[in-house]
């Protein structure tokens, strides 16, 4: 106990500094986000605890180097080795002391972050802080363990750092190169389908670096199984460190490994990443590249050995060892190639397949769709669909083998639509095979999937309302949030009543361009929302169209309530002035969307006109619309607001400014500030300028025959 | 009690023994007197206690002092006699000095007178 | 009792200690003298479990020292290069010692810091080199261990301080049977304090002896005869060095002084003088007799020519 307390005290200088830095950084970074305007999205765990990602490496290395600092100086090392404490106990006293500081820092930092988020009423996923604590503690300890091994092996800070980097990164780098190589060769594989021994996220320390470049794996990393694996790895490495520490010669202090053999080993390790370039698929194996890479590696080897050994004869004698990593790399290269092809061509027996499932192509994104999260869990056991998937697998493999990619010939006029989906085949022996397959007929796939009742339920299930945290880009604490309440409630009701598929991608697709704006397909807008279930954040949108007229009505009401004043007369004036703007900075931007226009084929369609001009524009680009625009604005003056989605109506959005004949801005006496919404595109808040986003549904009493 | 020359050529342990014997001879230390403890001596004279132990051990071996555990070291009754016995060899010394004096041409009467005077002086003390 | 048997330690290609054997009995103050690079520090470090022997063993109270906290709890080491926790003061270091050594005495610590007139609350990096050495010594003495090792510590202390430390050591030897091992370049230093001395030369103990015995075992004889003579006249006497100039000879004899004196005076010399030697002279003559000269390369370890 006493040595432990003594170590805690001894580490307190650096431990406290890092503690304070980490906590302050957590507060500052959180505040920065929470107070900013743009804080209405659910942050990922990494984004929320960014300072802790830095701490993982800073804390782990600094604690180890400070805790074992006595090993780098002769006097210190001798002193500690003379004390009546078993070497093993000394090692573990330092380790547990470091753990204490690391745990305290991680705990305090996450706590402060959570407090800041809570106090500023910023939305976050509540499981994230809970997971962050063990995650970052284990990650930092994993780094500590690597550094502890390094400190136990050598006696200068520089060599300690070098060995730490080798222990921490080299094995995972090799694994990463192999994984990357196999994936790029197999083509049908993705990072999500790797077996656990090739998965880079099982090491949650180096994994954090990997996900910087392979963002798709971000969510993968925070699973309990990875934390557990890393914990086991940490404990194993600590025992290894203890072993080396106990056997260490005190006289190693202040010396790197002087032994020529050890230096040569190190040189081999250093050039290994270089020669692995081919295995990872980063470079293609042309003769020039091969000569270049192996030449550079040899050069590095010689330079390193010369600097370290300082003896030409020794360097020459060590040269043959260069062949070891070189040959190893060659073997790995061929291994990766063979494995990639083997993976690609792996086809189970049809009889072995018990089910297929679809993990969802949005698993690569930061946030998923709620629907795909539900579909992921469905096991499709129907013969038809399994056959279909099986045939797709064989076709994909065949095509990739022949062309290197999935080559498909699709008649552009046919009604097929092509989707690429990850597919998991469940085998009778309990294992699974996962591939990314291209399906030429997405509609057929969906139809087949529909036969499964769970799937049916999944595509009809809306996210639980209490898990939704943002709508239309504003979060639950925002006063604007309530405005879309009615829309979403009505939408949910109607979807349930009419058993609609609320998610666009699961409906049948056609290539007919005109289809989407006819009758029930007339779209009034999109209701975006996001939330979380457990650790997974989801994001999606619903199209509000005439399939759900009540929802459209609620939508229209929401929009109308959002625009308080009229200014239609100003719009009209500016439109008139737009024929010949007096000032080069004058402009007008207006969109008219008309709904339920009767067509001769008895369909009702919606159409949009977008009219835009600006004063400096000498080309008469939108000239043909000016008359239409003026007409429409005049009609608007005679209209009144409506919330009837089935009526013939106009939705208007505009902004602009113009100099009047009296050389004053039209409507200059109006002080109008633009409403700041997620869709705000126009900047500027000049007080003497009329800029207004006008959202209005109007009803027009007259018939008009301005049709295409 | 003792005067130790640490930097001389005579070993400390010999000096202690010699000086103790001299003190007994001259009657400063009588039978039954307590000798200073090792600790006191070691502190006073800045001498290694083991050296002192050794010196005292030799004195004990010769029978000049005796140690009563817990009480200290005391001069034995026989001490004077034992020390005296060692003095016999001093006669050889007188012989040697005599030869030197003779070789220097000093008459034997002067030598005898000197010896007599010494004896008288000692008897008076 | 500290026992070393065939103790060997190498650093790369350099052999620091070769087949070293010695016994350091309990309760003695053992001085180890040798030139730079002789292996004194290496030996002390082996005794304290800092180094592991390449061959042979070193044990204290029967137990091998290396990685043996039970044995090491009885030893405390004051090295030549001192270590203190960064930015610490003596009080902080005392806490460290207290946590490591079960018998650490705060009373003695306070007493000694007062006696040495050091401020225990002052940061150690503001102390002079000598004061730091004193501080380290105080801390070691306060640990109240049975064995205490000083590596050239006394070389850096002023005479007053040296005296103080000596006295504290003497008390410990008397009270607890404490054993101290002190290394130094200088025989003068050790002669004063130690009761056992050993000479370490090129990785081995060349000879060891009781300090007092050393001084009495060799002596110088100055003798002259009227007739012609040579060394053979002194048959039966162990003569280490014979230097005849004219009729006067100066020789170094090993043996019992009284006996030798008697034997030689029987030869009727004209002149006979017996003179003691300083410890340094004893060492030098012993080394010569053993066949070592300080210029001779290759002579190694505890082996005689």
């Amino acid at each position: 106990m006493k040595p432990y307390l003594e170590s805690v005290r001894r580490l307190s200088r650096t431990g406290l500094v890092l503690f304070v830095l980490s906590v302050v950084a957590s507060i500052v970074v959180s505040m920065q986000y929470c107070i900013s305007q743009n804080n209405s999205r659910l942050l990922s765990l990494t984004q929320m605890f960014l300072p802790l990602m830095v701490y993982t490496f800073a804390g782990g290395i600094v604690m180890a180097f400070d805790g074992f600092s006595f090993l780098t100086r002769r006097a210190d090392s001798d002193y500690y080795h003379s004390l009546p404490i078993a070497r093993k106990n000394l090692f573990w006293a330092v380790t547990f002391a470091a753990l204490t500081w690391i745990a305290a820092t991680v705990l305090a930092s996450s706590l402060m972050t959570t407090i800041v988020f809570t106090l500023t009423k910023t939305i976050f996923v509540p499981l994230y802080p809970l997971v962050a604590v063990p995650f970052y503690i284990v990650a930092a300890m994993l780094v500590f363990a690597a550094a502890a091994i390094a400190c136990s092996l050598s006696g200068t800070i520089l060599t300690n750092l070098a060995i730490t980097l080798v222990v921490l990164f080299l094995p995972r780098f090799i694994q990463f190169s192999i994984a990357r190589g196999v994936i790029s060769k197999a083509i049908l594989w993705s990072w999500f389908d790797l077996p656990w021994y090739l998965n880079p996220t099982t090491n949650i320390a180096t994994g954090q670096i990997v996900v910087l470049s392979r963002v798709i794996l971000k969510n993968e990393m925070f699973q309990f199984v990875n934390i557990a694996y890393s914990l086991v790895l940490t404990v194993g490495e600590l025992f290894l460190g203890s072993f080396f520490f106990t056997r260490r010669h005190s006289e190693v202090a202040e010396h790197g490994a002087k032994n020529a053999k050890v230096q040569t080993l190190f040189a081999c390790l250093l050039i290994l990443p270089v020669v692995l370039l081919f295995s990872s698929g980063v470079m293609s194996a042309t003769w020039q590249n091969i000569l270049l890479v192996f030449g550079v590696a040899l050069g590095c080897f010689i330079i390193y050995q010369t600097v370290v050994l300082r003896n030409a004869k020794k360097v020459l004698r060590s040269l043959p060892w260069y062949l070891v990593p070189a040959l190893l790399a060659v073997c790995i290269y061929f291994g990766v190639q063979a494995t990639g092809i083997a993976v690609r061509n792996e086809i189970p027996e049809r009889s072995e397949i018990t089910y297929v499932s679809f993990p969802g192509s949005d698993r690569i994104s930061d946030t998923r769709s709620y629907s795909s999260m539900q579909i992921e869990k469905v096991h499709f056991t129907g013969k038809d669909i399994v056959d279909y998937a099986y045939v797709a697998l064989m076709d994909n493999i065949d095509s990739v083998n022949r062309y290197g990619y999935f080559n498909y010939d699709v008649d552009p006029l046919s009604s097929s639509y092509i989707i690429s989906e990850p597919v998991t085949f469940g085998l009778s022996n309990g294992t699974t095979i996962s591939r990314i397959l291209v399906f030429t007929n997405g509609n057929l796939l969906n139809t087949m999937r529909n036969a499964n009742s769970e799937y049916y339920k999944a595509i009809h299930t809306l996210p639980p309302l209490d898990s939704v945290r943002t709508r239309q880009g504003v979060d639950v604490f925002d006063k604007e949030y309530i405005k879309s309440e009615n829309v979403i409630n009505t939408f949910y009701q109607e979807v349930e009543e009419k058993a609609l598929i609320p998610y666009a991608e699961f409906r049948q697709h056609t290539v007919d361009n005109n289809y989407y704006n006819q009758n029930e397909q007339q779209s009034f807008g999109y209701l975006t929302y996001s939330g979380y279930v457990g650790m997974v954040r989801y994001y999606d949108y619903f199209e509000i169209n005439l399939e759900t007229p009540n929802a459209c009505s609620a939508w229209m009401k929401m929009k109308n309530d959002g625009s308080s004043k009229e200014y239609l007369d100003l719009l009209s004036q500016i439109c008139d002035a737009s024929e010949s703007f007096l000032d080069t900075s004058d402009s007008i931007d207006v969109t008219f969307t008309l709904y339920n226009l009767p067509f001769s084929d008895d369909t009702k369609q919606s159409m949009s006109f977008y009219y835009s001009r600006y004063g400096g524009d000498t080309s008469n680009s939108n000239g043909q619309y000016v008359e239409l625009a003026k007409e429409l604005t005049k009609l608007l003056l005679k209209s009144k607001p409506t919330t009837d989605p089935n009526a013939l109506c106009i939705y208007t959005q505009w902004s602009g400014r113009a100099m009047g004949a009296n050389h004053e801005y039209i409507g200059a006496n109006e002080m109008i500030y633009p409403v700041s919404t997620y869709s705000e595109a126009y900047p500027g808040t000049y007080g003497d300028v009329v800029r207004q986003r006008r959202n209005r549904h109007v009803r027009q009493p007259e018939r008009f025959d301005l049709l295409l | 009690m003792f005067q130790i020359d640490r930097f001389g050529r005579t070993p400390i342990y010999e000096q202690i023994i010699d000086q103790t014997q001299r003190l007994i001879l001259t009657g400063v230390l009588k039978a039954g007197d307590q000798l200073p403890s090792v600790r006191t001596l070691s502190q006073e004279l800045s001498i290694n206690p083991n050296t002192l132990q050794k010196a005292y051990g030799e004195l004990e071996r010769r029978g000049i002092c005796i140690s009563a555990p817990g009480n200290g070291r005391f001069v034995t009754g026989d001490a004077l006699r034992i020390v005296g016995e060692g003095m016999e060899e001093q006669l050889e010394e007188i012989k040697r000095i005599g030869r030197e004096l003779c070789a220097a041409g000093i008459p034997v009467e002067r030598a005898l007178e000197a010896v007599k005077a010494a004896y008288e002086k000692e008897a008076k003390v | 009792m500290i026992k070393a048997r065939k103790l060997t330690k190498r650093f790369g290609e350099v052999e620091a200690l070769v087949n070293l054997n010695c016994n350091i009995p309990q309760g003695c103050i053992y001085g180890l003298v040798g030139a730079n690079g002789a292996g004194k520090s290496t030996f002390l470090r082996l005794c304290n479990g800092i180094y592991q022997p390449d061959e042979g063993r070193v044990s204290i109270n029967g137990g091998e020292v290396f990685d043996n906290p039970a044995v090491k709890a009885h030893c405390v080491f004051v090295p030549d290069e001192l270590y203190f926790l960064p930015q610490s003061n003596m009080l902080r270091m005392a806490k460290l010692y207290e946590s490591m050594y079960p018998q650490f005495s705060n009373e003695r610590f306070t007493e000694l810091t007062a006696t040495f007139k050091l401020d225990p609350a002052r940061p150690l990096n503001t102390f002079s080199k000598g004061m730091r050495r004193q501080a380290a010594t105080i801390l070691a003495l306060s640990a109240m261990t049975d064995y205490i090792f000083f590596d050239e510590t006394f070389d850096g202390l002023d005479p007053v301080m040296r005296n103080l430390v000596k006295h504290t050591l003497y008390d410990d030897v008397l009270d607890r049977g404490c054993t101290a091992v002190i290394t130094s370049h200088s025989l003068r230093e050790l002669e004063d304090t130690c009761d056992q001395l050993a000479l370490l030369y090129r990785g081995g103990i060349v000879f060891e002896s009781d300090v007092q015995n050393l001084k009495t075992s060799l002596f110088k004889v100055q003798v002259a005869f009227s007739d012609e003579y040579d060394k053979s006249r002194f048959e039966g006497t162990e003569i280490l060095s014979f230097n005849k100039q004219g009729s006067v000879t100066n020789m170094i004899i090993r043996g019992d002084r009284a006996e030798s004196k008697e034997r030689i005076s029987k030869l009727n010399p004209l002149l006979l003088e017996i003179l003691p030697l300083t410890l340094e002279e004893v060492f030098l003559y012993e080394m010569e007799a053993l066949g070592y000269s300080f210029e001779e390369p290759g002579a190694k370890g505890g082996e005689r020519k």
Side-chain angles (χ1 to χ4, degrees):
Chain A
M1 192 57 183
K2 270 189 178 169
Y4 161 73
L5 289 174
E6 176 58 42
S7 298
V8 171
R9 210 178 303 141
R10 188 162 62 87
L11 281 174
S12 62
R13 263 193 325 151
T14 41
L16 206 56
V17 166
L18 285 174
F19 179 93
V20 168
L21 280 176
S22 176
V23 168
V24 167
S26 298
I27 295 177
V28 167
V29 167
S30 309
M31 288 287 245
Q32 225 177 17
Y33 174 74
C34 295
I35 298 181
S36 76
Q37 296 282 45
N38 201 9
N39 64 356
S40 285
R41 51 192 178 99
L42 285 166
L43 291 178
S44 71
L45 208 159
T46 314
Q47 289 166 324
M48 200 175 161
F49 296 102
L50 207 53
L52 284 181
M53 180 166 113
V54 175
Y55 182 77
T56 299
F57 294 95
I61 291 184
V62 169
M63 285 284 109
F65 277 39
D66 190 29
F68 295 109
S69 63
F70 59 87
L71 294 175
T72 55
R73 280 185 294 277
R74 204 54 189 277
D76 303 27
S77 176
D78 287 351
Y79 179 76
Y80 276 92
H81 286 122
S82 77
L83 292 175
I85 175 174
R87 289 195 172 197
K88 188 173 55 124
N89 292 351
L90 183 55
F91 179 87
W92 287 104
V94 173
T95 302
F96 282 113
L99 174 62
T100 309
W101 281 105
I102 287 174
T105 307
V106 169
L107 206 61
S109 304
S110 350
L111 196 63
M112 288 320 291
T113 303
T114 313
I115 288 176
V116 168
F117 270 71
T118 313
L119 289 178
T120 56
K121 293 205 160 156
T122 312
I123 50 168
F124 65 95
V125 179
L127 267 187
Y128 284 0
L130 285 174
V131 171
V133 169
F135 182 87
Y136 286 106
I137 292 178
V138 172
M141 284 309 287
L142 190 50
V143 174
F144 173 88
I149 290 177
C151 291
S152 301
L153 285 175
S154 83
T156 64
I157 294 193
L158 214 55
T159 52
N160 286 348
L161 201 54
I163 298 178
T164 305
L165 292 176
V166 166
V167 171
L168 199 50
F169 290 110
L170 190 63
R172 287 288 163 166
F173 182 84
I174 296 173
Q175 181 206 50
F176 181 82
S177 302
I178 294 175
R180 191 189 186 288
V182 174
I183 285 174
S184 76
K185 191 74 188 170
I187 299 178
L188 295 171
W189 241 14
S190 91
W191 287 93
F192 289 94
D193 306 321
L194 292 168
W196 66 269
Y197 47 87
L198 282 179
N199 187 340
T201 61
T202 51
N203 179 322
I204 59 180
T206 57
Q208 291 184 57
I209 307 280
V210 170
V211 302
L212 288 177
S213 71
R214 291 272 177 285
V215 176
I216 59 176
L217 290 169
K218 231 197 289 198
N219 291 326
E220 272 277 291
M221 191 167 59
F222 294 96
Q223 294 179 54
F224 173 74
V225 64
N226 289 334
I227 300 179
Y229 179 90
S230 294
L231 183 60
V232 169
L233 191 61
T234 306
V235 172
E237 284 189 19
L238 284 173
F239 273 100
L240 192 61
S242 169
F243 174 80
F244 287 132
F245 184 84
T246 315
R247 271 175 174 46
R248 180 197 173 79
H249 284 185
S250 184
E251 57 263 31
V252 169
E254 290 171 17
H255 295 115
K258 268 229 195 116
N259 195 339
K261 271 187 256 170
V262 174
Q263 291 293 24
T264 309
L265 171 68
F266 213 70
C268 292
L269 288 175
L270 277 180
I271 61 164
L272 200 54
V274 178
V275 291
L276 279 176
L277 277 174
F278 296 113
S279 305
S280 63
V282 165
M283 271 189 143
S284 54
T286 63
W287 282 114
Q288 299 105 298
N289 283 347
I290 290 175
L291 281 172
L292 178 68
V293 168
F294 281 91
V296 167
L298 183 62
C300 291
F301 187 88
I302 292 176
I303 292 174
Y304 178 81
Q305 289 290 74
T306 312
V307 165
V308 151
L309 294 178
R310 280 181 256 237
N311 180 330
K313 225 181 5 172
K314 279 192 194 168
V315 174
L316 281 172
R317 256 194 297 165
S318 70
L319 264 187
W321 287 99
Y322 163 79
L323 293 173
V324 171
L327 284 172
L328 190 63
V330 170
C331 292
I332 292 178
Y333 174 76
F334 286 112
V336 162
Q337 298 287 304
T339 310
I341 294 178
V343 166
R344 187 202 298 167
N345 289 304
E346 185 182 5
I347 305 184
E349 294 293 320
R350 172 65 185 86
S351 51
E352 288 179 325
I353 305 179
T354 53
Y355 70 86
V356 292
S357 64
F358 299 88
S361 46
D362 62 355
R363 64 183 179 170
I364 63 171
S365 83
D366 206 15
T367 51
R368 312 191 58 177
S369 161
Y370 184 79
S371 56
S372 71
M373 282 161 60
Q374 308 309 308
I375 294 169
E376 193 177 19
K377 303 179 207 162
V378 178
H379 285 191
F380 294 87
T381 51
K383 181 179 177 310
D384 288 344
I385 189 166
V386 176
D387 282 343
Y388 185 62
Y390 189 69
V391 165
L393 174 66
M394 292 201 291
D395 283 347
N396 272 264
I397 293 174
D398 187 51
S399 182
V400 167
N401 278 335
R402 266 199 271 162
Y403 305 108
Y405 59 94
F406 190 87
N407 184 21
Y408 46 86
D409 278 315
V410 169
D411 180 1
L413 294 176
S414 81
S415 63
S416 296
Y417 94 101
I418 295 160
I419 56 174
S420 167
E421 282 256 1
V423 181
T424 302
F425 295 89
L427 304 179
S428 47
N429 62 5
T431 59
T432 59
I433 292 178
S434 297
R435 299 286 182 272
I436 300 182
L437 301 180
V438 172
F439 292 91
T440 48
N441 195 338
N443 284 331
L444 180 55
L445 179 66
N446 283 339
T447 312
M448 292 182 127
R449 294 201 285 189
N450 228 15
N452 181 309
S453 61
E454 280 171 42
Y455 173 84
Y456 181 87
K457 201 165 110 196
I459 62 174
H460 284 86
T461 310
L462 293 155
L465 275 171
D466 52 8
S467 76
V468 176
R469 305 309 278 165
T470 72
R471 283 198 303 259
Q472 302 300 89
V474 293
D475 62 41
V476 290
F477 299 114
D478 195 307
K479 58 178 163 34
E480 303 276 313
Y481 187 75
I482 195 80
K483 294 189 177 172
S484 51
E485 181 99 3
N486 206 16
V487 179
I488 201 168
N489 285 340
T490 320
F491 183 77
Y492 270 49
Q493 257 179 339
E494 275 192 290
V495 162
E496 208 181 304
E497 277 168 14
K498 301 189 179 174
L500 299 169
I501 299 176
Y503 307 101
E505 71 259 40
F506 300 112
R507 305 201 195 118
Q508 295 291 308
H509 284 69
T510 68
V511 236
D512 185 352
N513 284 326
N514 293 328
Y515 184 58
Y516 69 91
N517 63 343
Q518 280 184 16
N519 297 332
E520 281 82 24
Q521 302 310 312
Q522 294 181 76
S523 164
F524 280 74
Y526 294 92
L527 182 65
T528 60
Y529 63 93
S530 73
Y532 63 86
V533 174
M535 288 276 287
V536 186
R537 293 163 295 146
Y538 62 78
Y539 170 87
D540 218 333
Y541 63 89
F542 298 128
E543 190 188 350
I544 309 294
N545 59 29
L546 276 176
E547 284 184 338
T548 53
N550 293 344
C552 291
S553 183
W555 176 273
M556 291 162 84
K557 182 166 189 309
M558 176 181 83
K559 289 291 183 180
N560 278 352
D561 286 346
S563 52
S564 44
K565 283 193 159 194
E566 292 280 66
Y567 304 124
L568 286 177
D569 53 335
L570 296 177
L571 171 60
S572 182
Q573 290 177 45
I574 295 177
C575 236
D576 288 340
S578 73
E579 269 192 285
S580 51
F581 278 131
L582 292 173
D583 195 90
T584 50
S585 60
D586 287 350
S587 69
I588 177 133
D589 265 294
V590 57
T591 311
F592 300 98
T593 310
L594 297 108
Y595 291 97
N596 298 309
L597 291 169
F599 272 60
S600 50
D601 57 359
D602 285 331
T603 57
K604 301 250 171 97
Q605 298 195 23
S606 83
M607 295 176 74
S608 289
F609 298 108
Y610 176 62
Y611 175 63
S612 142
R613 296 191 96 178
Y614 64 96
D617 179 18
T618 47
S619 73
N620 198 8
S621 45
N622 282 340
Q624 73 270 40
Y625 287 126
V626 65
E627 285 303 321
L628 174 60
K630 280 159 75 172
E631 278 294 319
L632 283 172
T633 48
K634 293 214 173 23
L635 287 170
L636 278 174
L637 288 167
K638 295 187 231 169
S639 64
K640 60 183 200 296
T642 177
T643 60
D644 179 2
N646 290 308
L648 180 62
C649 55
I650 302 181
Y651 172 71
T652 316
Q653 278 188 173
W654 69 275
S655 71
R657 81 179 200 188
M659 188 86 80
N662 56 357
H663 292 283
E664 268 186 34
Y665 281 109
I666 296 172
N669 51 333
E670 308 277 346
M671 295 281 281
I672 303 168
Y673 297 94
V675 173
S676 169
T677 69
Y678 71 95
S679 54
E680 177 65 64
Y682 266 98
T685 54
Y686 307 114
D688 57 343
V689 167
V690 176
R691 287 178 178 280
Q692 176 86 350
R693 197 153 279 274
R694 310 291 307 159
N695 310 318
R696 208 130 250 254
H697 286 81
V698 297
R699 175 148 128 101
Q700 187 222 11
E702 291 166 33
R703 179 190 76 85
F704 66 3
D705 39 32
L706 274 128
L707 296 171
L708 290 171
Chain B
M1 183 180 297
F2 298 105
Q3 290 277 61
I4 301 297
D5 176 12
R6 287 219 297 286
F7 303 109
R9 285 167 172 210
T10 319
I12 293 171
Y13 134 100
E14 263 187 27
Q15 290 180 44
I16 303 260
I17 294 178
D18 284 346
Q19 286 189 31
T20 311
Q21 293 188 159
R22 182 144 300 145
L23 289 171
I24 292 174
L25 271 182
T26 53
V28 174
L29 278 177
K30 301 194 227 338
D33 279 352
Q34 182 171 22
L35 291 170
S37 72
V38 168
R39 182 188 297 273
T40 320
L41 265 187
S42 141
Q43 288 297 325
E44 245 176 57
L45 303 170
S46 279
I47 293 175
N48 191 314
N50 288 333
T51 309
L52 291 169
Q53 295 274 37
K54 205 163 167 205
Y56 277 179
E58 177 62 20
L59 286 172
E60 266 181 54
R61 191 189 62 78
R62 294 188 190 178
I64 291 173
C65 69
I66 192 162
S67 79
N71 288 351
R73 275 190 190 78
F74 299 89
V75 178
T76 57
D78 278 341
L80 188 53
R81 179 185 60 79
I82 294 169
V83 175
E85 278 167 11
M87 288 287 111
E88 287 291 317
E89 67 182 39
Q90 298 293 18
L91 286 173
E92 289 301 316
E93 193 65 18
I94 292 186
K95 279 191 197 165
R96 185 187 70 78
I97 295 174
R99 276 168 46 208
E100 279 178 15
L101 289 171
C102 179
I106 293 175
V108 62
E109 291 81 19
R110 289 262 302 271
L112 288 171
E113 254 180 61
V115 174
K116 253 205 218 161
Y119 266 76
E120 277 163 22
K121 196 161 174 207
E122 188 63 26
K124 275 202 198 127
V125 164
Chain C
M1 149 103 100
I2 301 173
K3 238 196 270 199
R5 286 283 166 274
K6 298 204 179 145
L7 196 56
T8 306
K9 179 70 188 164
R10 292 180 204 98
F11 297 105
E13 281 152 15
V14 175
E15 285 185 321
L17 293 180
V18 183
N19 270 332
L20 188 141
N21 297 304
C22 83
N23 283 341
I24 301 177
Q26 190 144 19
C28 84
I29 302 183
Y30 191 91
L32 197 55
V33 67
N36 289 326
K40 307 191 294 292
S41 294
T42 308
F43 177 67
L44 284 200
R45 283 173 165 78
L46 281 159
C47 290
N48 279 284
I50 295 172
Y51 295 158
Q52 191 175 12
D54 288 323
E55 283 165 40
R57 66 199 289 267
V58 56
S59 61
I60 297 184
N61 290 347
E64 274 198 58
V65 185
F66 185 72
D67 207 10
N68 188 344
V71 165
K72 284 161 85 175
H74 296 294
C75 311
V76 70
F77 182 45
V78 183
D80 45 350
E81 274 169 49
L82 298 171
Y83 168 75
F84 298 109
L85 290 169
Q87 264 91 51
S88 62
N89 54 25
M90 286 179 73
L91 290 168
R92 172 75 182 92
M93 286 306 294
K95 273 206 209 81
L96 171 58
Y97 274 77
E98 198 178 5
S99 73
M100 293 284 164
Y101 292 98
Q103 293 134 311
F104 187 86
S105 156
N106 274 307
E107 292 84 45
R108 169 174 270 200
F109 177 74
T110 325
E111 199 188 301
L112 285 173
T113 41
T115 315
F116 278 69
K117 297 199 180 48
L118 293 173
D119 179 6
R122 213 175 113 192
L124 282 154
N125 52 19
T126 62
F127 279 15
S128 72
K129 198 162 127 191
M131 287 160 81
R132 256 180 275 169
R133 206 157 268 209
Q134 291 166 29
T137 310
I138 290 173
L139 286 162
L141 287 169
S142 307
M144 307 295 269
T145 51
D146 296 335
Y147 294 86
I148 181 164
F149 297 83
F150 292 99
D151 198 357
E152 298 189 9
T153 311
F154 284 60
D155 296 2
L157 291 178
D158 64 58
V160 175
M161 296 304 163
R162 213 181 299 145
N163 228 23
L164 281 169
V165 177
K166 254 183 14 182
H167 284 221
T168 316
L169 263 182
Y170 291 160
D171 277 341
D172 281 351
V173 167
L174 281 170
D175 292 336
R176 295 185 290 119
C178 175
T179 311
V181 178
I182 307 175
T183 64
S184 178
H185 298 123
S186 151
L187 265 178
R188 278 272 80 169
E189 289 305 324
L190 299 182
E191 186 180 345
D192 235 4
T193 319
C194 304
D195 52 86
Q196 302 281 332
L197 276 180
L199 175 66
L200 195 58
Y201 181 64
R202 289 204 183 164
I205 289 191
V206 169
F207 66 92
E208 63 182 318
S209 172
D210 189 290
V211 172
Q212 305 306 316
N213 286 350
L214 279 174
K215 278 189 153 174
T216 52
S217 63
L218 290 188
F219 47 91
K220 189 190 292 199
V221 172
Q222 205 175 48
V223 68
F225 290 93
S226 48
D227 58 331
E228 209 28 60
Y229 67 98
D230 62 13
K231 196 170 166 187
S232 56
R233 181 165 291 197
F234 307 99
E235 200 74 45
T237 322
E238 195 179 337
I239 300 175
L240 271 64
S241 159
F242 191 88
N243 190 352
K244 183 168 181 289
Q245 277 175 341
S247 59
V248 182
T249 301
N250 278 315
M251 53 184 177
I252 307 294
I253 292 184
R254 190 210 306 278
D256 179 72
R257 204 164 355 159
E259 198 189 305
S260 302
K261 185 174 176 183
E262 211 184 295
R263 200 172 331 127
I264 296 175
S265 47
K266 286 205 180 91
L267 298 170
N268 287 321
L270 282 177
L271 166 67
L272 177 62
E273 285 272 2
I274 313 268
L275 300 163
L277 296 168
T278 66
L279 207 52
E280 269 144 349
E281 289 169 325
V282 169
F283 267 78
L284 275 170
Y285 288 123
E286 284 282 13
M287 291 274 285
E288 267 181 47
L290 288 168
Y292 285 92
S293 94
F294 282 93
E295 292 82 49
E296 187 179 300
K300 273 225 161 315
E303 297 152 41
R304 299 181 176 197
K305 200 156 70 162

